[in-house]
Amino acid sequence: MPRDPSTVVDRGAACLLGGALGDALGAPVEFLSVEDIVRQHGPAGVIAPPRPALLTDDTQLTLFTADGYLRAWVRGRTEGVWEPVETVWRSYRRWLVTQQYDGPEPGSRGLLAYDRLYASRSPGLTCLRALARDHAPSRDNPVNDSAGCGGVMRTAPAGFAPSPAIAYELGCEFAALTHGNPSGWAPGGALALLVHLLAVRGRPLAEAVDQVIGRVLRDDPPTAYALIKAVELAEGQRGAVSPPVRADRVGAGWTGPEALAVAVYSVLVFRRAGEFCEALRMAANHSGDSDATAAIAGNIHGALHGTAALPRDWLSRLELADLLDRMGRDLACSTLQLEFEEWRYTSA
């Protein structure tokens, strides 16, 4: 059964805010080895986002995913036209504009009016090349064979689709707009399904992860096997006195399956509401794609526990926190059929 509406709405905000906090935490150590992280940040590694906590392309594209989905939802409700994949594709193309210009043109509306989004924060070449095409790729008509993590790191908003099945399918389709290998798009569906089960359906974490494994196994066994490994390693930490196994035992996070598995492992080990910071630190402090893995962990932890679990000090330094909060709440309102400011999603 769905949770109390106020709880779901709160978890919508926490899902996007938590992802952005993880993104900002991991960004300074992306591409660094564990040894270099320790050398630069001390034995505990990076422990808090910098001031200010800036967003990378991971969170930028998450915002444009949310914006595109909400535009599709509003049009579907008001006009009876439901084209979420095409609408999200157009939203990603608007994000591409922010990577090409220094600021908004006069009269810009929607996300294109936010001048802080006009920042190139090391966007992935796979996404840039795919979005430069005139027509949207798909699972059946892929643009490449990429299995990179650039598809999964932006699909959490699809978790607020009306049902678990739709959430999974949309997560896959949104990721496939830039990543053509099943290991590039199936983790996107898996993350969306996990977010839906936690935030909307109120499932316990372990039960939700098991359900995700069962579903994604049909489309991409490597994603399922990576998640199984994450579960097995996390179960081995229960009751352990020594420090938990580092997240890079699951993988470096450069591929979609590994990025999702690192995030899931980190949240399984530090699953309590008061362990948000520990989960994100584990997801960030490894030799791999630290901002993507920590962002996904933040999405999951936020969807599980809500905004009360997010550290106030971290939030106070987060770029575009108000926008992330509002769009996360709008996503949750859409899945619950609650009123929100739909006019924000009716113009370019």
Side-chain angles (χ1 to χ4, degrees), residues 201-224:
R201 303 291 167 172
R203 299 286 192 270
L205 177 62
E207 176 186 318
V209 172
D210 284 345
Q211 187 171 337
V212 168
I213 291 171
R215 176 61 188 89
V216 78
L217 181 62
R218 286 182 264 164
D219 288 325
D220 188 53
T223 298

Side-chain angles (χ1 to χ4, degrees), residues 12-50:
C15 180
L16 294 200
L17 287 167
L21 290 173
D23 182 21
L25 175 71
V29 297
E30 185 184 18
F31 306 118
L32 296 183
S33 67
V34 168
E35 293 74 21
D36 287 336
I37 293 173
V38 169
R39 189 176 301 114
Q40 294 183 23
H41 296 274
V46 61
I47 61 173

Side-chain angles (χ1 to χ4, degrees), residues 236-270:
Q237 306 307 306
R238 293 182 181 178
V241 178
S242 59
V245 172
R246 278 211 324 254
D248 50 12
R249 277 283 301 278
V250 183
W254 298 116
T255 67
E258 287 186 353
L260 180 61
V262 166
V264 167
Y265 169 72
S266 300
V267 178
L268 284 170
V269 172
F270 295 107

